[in-house]
Amino acid sequence: MQKVLHINPDKCTGCQQCEMACSFENYGTYATAKSRIKVFDFHHTGKKVPYTCTQCDEAWCLHACPVEAITVDKATGAKVVNESTCVGCKVCTIACPFGTINYVQETGKVQKCDLCGGDPACADACPTGAITFIDANWTGLDKMKQWADKLGNQPSAA
Amino acid sequence: MSWAGKILRVNLTAGTVTSEPLNMEWARAYIGSRGLGSKYLIDEIDPKVDPLSPDNKIIWATGPLTGTMASTGGRYTVITKGPLTGAIACSNSGGYWGAELKMAGWDMVIFEGKSAKPVYLYICDDVAELRDADHLWGKSVWQTEDLLKKSHQDPLLRISSIGKSGENGVLYAAVVNDLHRAAGRSGVGAVMGSKNLKAIAVRGTKGVGNVRDPKAFMAAAKAAKKVLADNAVTGQGLPTYGTQVLMNVINEIGGLPTRNHRDVQFEGAKDISAEAMATPRKTDGKAQLVTNQACFGCTIACGRISKMDQSHFSVQNKPEYWGASGGLEYEAAWALGAANGVSDLEALQYANLICNEEGFDPISFGATIGAVMELYEMGVLTQEQIGIEAPFGSAKALCELADMTAKGIGFGKEIGLGSKRLTAKYGHPDLSMSVKGQEFPAYDGRVIQGIGLAYATSNRGACHLRGYTIASEVLGIPVKTEPVESEGKPELVKAFQDATAAFDSAGVCIFTSFAWTLADVAPQLQAACGDEYTMEHLAHIGERIWNMEREFNNAAGFTKADDTLPKRLLTEAAKTGPGKGVVSKLPEMLPKYYDVRGWDSEGRPTAQTKQRLGL
């Protein structure tokens, strides 16, 4: 079963534990500046929204890469940057419609979410369940359940 | 070792910025943040210095857990000699700024001297330079953050700054970061303003990467997070209701100071409570509370994000206040509300927004308004003097006086001096509800005896955050003690004061202590720093910090006579509630407290005590 990161912004408090977990997993340091997931604080509405790569099936970044440095991890479905192949041309950062693949000055390569090989540190660190790692085919299950509850699980009016 | 190992020293007179190694011996003896920053300050300034003179220094300090994955590990402390009190001032803030400074590779920043013209400090990792702030002077905190992010073309910049009140010398001006997180008390913002220092803008990309034992640290941090999640206060009460969960609780026990401490219960408490914030308004069908928000790394998330009623008189035609922003915490709701008898929740939120926008402490401001309203009702102050009718309960007066204080106009200038100076000027010094010149927070020191002693002996003037005995006396954490009883309170106050100093110095939030003891902090510090920390060792360090602060105050000229409470709390009994008929038993508790502390009868640490604590 393939799993995906699933984000529910309503549960996000803006604590950035996900960003720290991401940088710690990949760089061994707590540095939100190096995180591949970012939490956006829309101050005037009070909404906090975590955002990262959704692992497109037909990934723009993968197709744009001139040296085929981005490949598919067959086990997880993640599009993974192979650092030894990447030449830092940044074409993928232009191709990606979502901005979720970015250049890293310190390494001269690009980075993006690779689902931590199938055990994403961000989801593990999230204290509120705003970020979960669930069955790719059933990301709607929770919402469906809420509506099912509304439709059929309330005391009958009669 | 989790400390960055480097500090920045900024000489504002000379315009120089230099890097120094952190004194590791001190770091081990005082941990970080409050303790370590205070050690530096006390070592470097004359205790008798005028707080607003160039000879005073001001320090922004992080702790070893700041910027790590320890829950609530985003705290920093601003330390200086305070202008409101003349005592050591030490104000703690959350938000994201502290972690950003640490991730830029700095444990603390020390400012000395005074700049000839307005400047701000820009830090991006190793680069740190003073820059011209002429274009920022006269701007609010909110404008300053916006302008700096735009001019640097960096939306990820974090900013700690002052608004107009810090520039104007409001004696309880705050340092504000991330729009509505504040090092709020004791006037640290006025010291910043006196140095012509407008802001510190930080971008840190290096991160905190030198945790001694990462695996052990992650395990300890995770276990401690579980303790917070499983606790009723930190896992449910605070995220749902915020600190405002206390409003009805404290009112019920008759410990809610009302109308400048004339009363101990407020008939309007329910209208300004957490429950009221979550109830849809009649006017627009929306609740004031929009959501909760966490500071950096915090798994509690007690912060309030609120939206005002656009039809409220205070914000009609002012769309800049219609968006979501920092909402009422308990202390602010009390000071702006019960302390003045105001029960208009929207008016409270407006005053709260102004406190954030222009950077001043809602506790001291609100409590000063309480004194002004009492003087007005007594006929000592008139409408002509104040510029508006100001009886207890006037929401209009609260909002207008907030504006006047923020802008430093008219009677607002006098309000900006705090209640001690204002009541003295008009011949009624007994009506200042303060200790050492700093106003009380939201708990009555008669009905809750321990907190009265904690106020009287707090090293930064009246404060609930130096020893939150409310945890024990009201909430039963870690054990329940009777609020009206004075027996055992000197020991309780000491234990809370010492533990708090250790929490504050680690770089975590004191609210964790609703669920954590020092036994939960110790393994995180040990794994992060590599040194051996136990609960006992941390309490010992906390006691060392407390005594060091006390010695500074004594050298600054404070004596036993300053460890007191206003006459009202010592002679006028609580009128209603479970504590009816009670006055503070401070005269009984204080000598016992000195004894428990190992101080002489004048409140001075004995040679033996100092030796035991390594001072």
Side-chain angles (χ1 to χ4, degrees):
Chain A
M1 179 175 71
Q2 205 173 91
K3 287 181 153 189
V4 291
L5 282 172
H6 186 62
I7 289 169
N8 181 350
D10 287 341
K11 290 185 177 173
C12 178
T13 62
C15 75
Q16 302 191 350
Q17 285 279 348
C18 56
E19 296 196 24
M20 284 185 281
C22 179
S23 64
F24 185 74
E25 175 76 21
N26 293 298
Y27 297 94
T29 178
Y30 303 114
T32 52
K34 294 186 166 77
S35 175
R36 298 165 182 184
I37 184 166
K38 295 302 286 180
V39 180
F40 295 89
D41 179 358
F42 295 95
H43 187 250
H44 287 282
T45 60
K47 296 270 187 194
K48 277 80 64 178
V49 187
Y51 198 77
T52 190
C53 174
T54 54
Q55 316 294 347
C56 316
D57 273 3
E58 289 298 323
W60 281 267
C61 61
L62 182 148
H63 290 303
C65 181
V67 294
E68 296 184 0
I70 300 171
T71 53
V72 182
D73 178 330
K74 288 207 173 65
T76 64
K79 311 301 169 295
V80 179
V81 178
N82 301 296
E83 281 211 359
S84 56
T85 316
C86 174
V87 296
C89 74
K90 311 179 195 67
V91 169
C92 56
T93 69
I94 300 165
C96 174
F98 308 105
T100 51
I101 185 162
N102 286 286
Y103 181 62
V104 182
Q105 297 175 40
E106 291 80 359
T107 58
K109 314 286 178 183
V110 295
Q111 69 163 355
K112 68 179 289 300
C113 172
D114 60 4
L115 298 176
C116 297
D119 185 14
C122 55
D124 184 53
C126 179
T128 63
I131 305 169
T132 49
F133 191 55
I134 59 171
D135 184 347
N137 288 8
W138 283 108
T139 54
L141 197 66
D142 254 6
K143 255 187 216 165
M144 281 173 78
K145 188 179 172 189
Q146 281 169 30
W147 283 101
D149 178 48
K150 220 173 193 173
L151 180 76
N153 192 34
Q154 301 305 316
S156 153
Chain B
M1 312 163 295
S2 210
W3 292 282
K6 274 194 317 177
I7 64 174
L8 266 178
R9 184 176 296 277
V10 182
N11 187 314
L12 292 162
T13 308
T16 55
V17 183
T18 45
S19 168
E20 288 178 13
L22 180 70
N23 183 325
M24 289 311 299
E25 193 186 322
W26 289 357
R28 295 204 164 84
Y30 297 91
I31 310 175
S33 204
R34 171 180 167 183
L36 186 57
S38 299
K39 174 65 182 166
Y40 268 90
L41 183 87
I42 289 167
D43 195 66
E44 295 188 11
I45 70 165
D46 175 355
K48 294 202 183 297
V49 73
D50 171 358
L52 298 177
S53 76
D55 292 336
N56 194 9
K57 297 189 184 185
I58 183 166
I59 299 175
W60 276 247
T62 67
L65 296 183
T66 308
T68 71
M69 267 178 88
S71 184
T72 78
R75 312 291 303 186
Y76 74 98
T77 310
V78 182
I79 304 135
T80 186
K81 181 175 174 179
L84 186 67
T85 57
I88 192 157
C90 167
S91 295
N92 189 289
S93 183
Y96 304 92
W97 189 90
E100 198 75 22
L101 180 71
K102 187 77 174 290
M103 291 189 293
W106 304 99
D107 290 307
M108 61 171 88
V109 187
I110 301 176
F111 290 91
E112 48 196 40
K114 176 185 176 174
S115 173
K117 58 187 183 59
V119 289
Y120 72 96
L121 180 68
Y122 173 70
I123 302 171
C124 181
D125 295 337
D126 292 332
V127 176
E129 45 194 48
L130 285 168
R131 297 195 176 180
D132 188 275
D134 264 338
H135 62 301
L136 301 174
W137 208 251
K139 299 286 192 252
S140 72
V141 164
W142 297 353
Q143 290 167 327
T144 300
E145 291 206 13
D146 190 44
L147 284 165
L148 282 170
K149 285 178 183 180
K150 280 188 179 137
S151 66
H152 283 271
Q153 297 189 45
D154 188 353
L156 297 175
L157 210 55
R158 299 290 183 187
I159 293 136
S160 176
S161 70
I162 52 169
K164 281 198 267 298
S165 51
E167 297 175 12
N168 293 338
V170 168
L171 292 180
Y172 44 83
V175 170
V176 183
N177 56 284
D178 302 292
L179 303 175
H180 45 72
R181 297 291 114 194
R185 301 219 72 193
S186 310
V188 292
V191 175
M192 193 173 175
S194 76
K195 298 188 174 306
N196 272 328
L197 175 64
K198 181 66 180 177
I200 311 174
V202 189
R203 182 74 197 287
T205 72
K206 294 179 164 188
V208 178
N210 51 354
V211 165
R212 176 58 67 92
D213 183 345
K215 209 173 160 199
F217 178 73
M218 290 298 267
K222 195 163 193 169
K225 282 174 199 165
K226 187 167 185 316
V227 173
L228 293 176
D230 292 345
N231 180 279
V233 177
T234 51
Q236 292 154 37
L238 285 173
T240 309
Y241 297 110
T243 52
Q244 270 275 61
V245 70
L246 286 163
M247 186 64 76
N248 287 324
V249 175
I250 302 297
N251 194 47
E252 271 164 34
I253 66 153
L256 190 71
T258 299
R259 287 176 285 268
N260 206 33
H261 285 65
R262 278 181 170 180
D263 300 301
V264 292
Q265 288 182 308
F266 181 39
E267 65 284 358
K270 67 176 188 325
D271 301 321
I272 61 169
S273 66
E275 293 79 356
M277 286 171 71
T279 304
R281 295 178 284 240
K282 285 191 185 112
T283 45
D284 62 0
K286 291 173 186 155
Q288 189 181 80
L289 180 70
V290 176
T291 184
N292 65 331
Q293 180 162 340
C295 293
F296 181 92
C298 175
T299 57
I300 303 173
C302 75
R304 305 289 91 186
I305 298 296
S306 292
K307 262 190 198 175
M308 283 201 66
D309 174 359
Q310 297 176 12
S311 67
H312 189 257
F313 72 83
S314 60
V315 294
Q316 273 174 1
N317 309 316
K318 292 187 194 168
E320 65 269 34
Y321 299 109
W322 293 353
S325 192
L328 291 162
E329 317 289 337
Y330 171 61
E331 303 298 330
W334 164 80
L336 302 167
N340 311 310
V342 177
S343 58
D344 176 346
L345 187 68
E346 298 300 314
L348 268 51
Q349 174 59 5
Y350 176 74
N352 193 52
L353 288 174
I354 299 302
C355 287
N356 288 335
E357 183 183 23
E358 295 298 354
F360 55 103
D361 171 20
I363 302 180
S364 281
F365 166 73
T368 302
I369 298 295
V372 168
M373 287 181 170
E374 181 157 14
L375 291 170
Y376 176 84
E377 295 218 335
M378 289 163 67
V380 176
L381 286 173
T382 63
Q383 185 182 342
E384 288 67 39
Q385 283 169 301
I386 301 172
I388 184 172
E389 288 183 345
F392 280 124
S394 172
K396 195 149 190 301
L398 172 72
C399 294
E400 289 213 13
L401 293 172
D403 283 337
M404 287 159 69
T405 304
K407 291 175 185 149
I409 54 175
F411 198 71
K413 277 187 204 146
E414 306 211 23
I415 293 169
L417 299 176
S419 66
K420 182 185 168 189
R421 289 165 178 83
L422 189 145
T423 56
K425 177 175 173 183
Y426 293 100
H428 293 272
D430 288 345
L431 294 183
S432 169
M433 294 300 121
S434 63
V435 174
K436 300 179 176 72
Q438 177 158 288
E439 289 73 12
F440 288 130
Y443 314 87
D444 193 275
R446 290 166 284 206
V447 178
I448 312 170
Q449 293 286 332
I451 202 73
L453 177 63
Y455 291 160
T457 58
S458 160
N459 286 329
R460 69 166 184 175
C463 176
H464 57 298
L465 293 173
R466 300 295 103 161
Y468 193 71
T469 59
I470 302 302
S472 165
E473 297 182 278
V474 179
L475 304 172
I477 302 168
V479 283
K480 183 79 172 79
T481 54
E482 277 310 307
V484 294
E485 291 296 328
S486 57
E487 185 70 29
K489 294 299 165 68
E491 294 84 351
L492 185 76
V493 168
K494 175 186 180 292
F496 268 85
Q497 287 173 336
D498 293 348
T500 300
F503 273 92
D504 286 346
S505 301
V508 294
C509 177
I510 190 61
F511 289 180
T512 57
S513 68
F514 285 116
W516 290 354
T517 68
L518 289 174
D520 297 288
V521 179
Q524 299 185 77
L525 270 178
Q526 183 159 321
C529 301
D531 294 359
E532 198 169 309
Y533 287 102
T534 61
M535 189 173 172
E536 294 72 27
H537 184 201
L538 287 175
H540 186 71
I541 292 177
E543 187 178 7
R544 177 184 299 143
I545 294 165
W546 189 267
N547 279 268
M548 171 180 71
E549 294 170 343
R550 175 76 181 191
E551 287 258 279
F552 176 85
N553 286 351
N554 285 346
F558 287 90
T559 66
K560 181 183 178 180
D562 299 297
D563 292 341
T564 189
L565 295 169
K567 206 166 95 186
R568 178 163 280 171
L569 270 67
L570 298 170
T571 61
E572 293 177 30
K575 290 177 195 159
T576 60
K580 188 178 172 181
V582 173
V583 295
S584 169
K585 293 168 195 154
L586 181 70
E588 291 169 31
M589 293 187 285
L590 193 64
K592 183 82 195 293
Y593 171 82
Y594 285 176
D595 197 41
V596 170
R597 277 242 167 258
W599 296 352
D600 67 18
S601 60
E602 292 302 306
R604 293 172 303 216
T606 62
Q608 198 186 359
T609 298
K610 284 195 276 186
Q611 194 191 8
R612 179 172 64 80
L613 296 170
L615 287 168

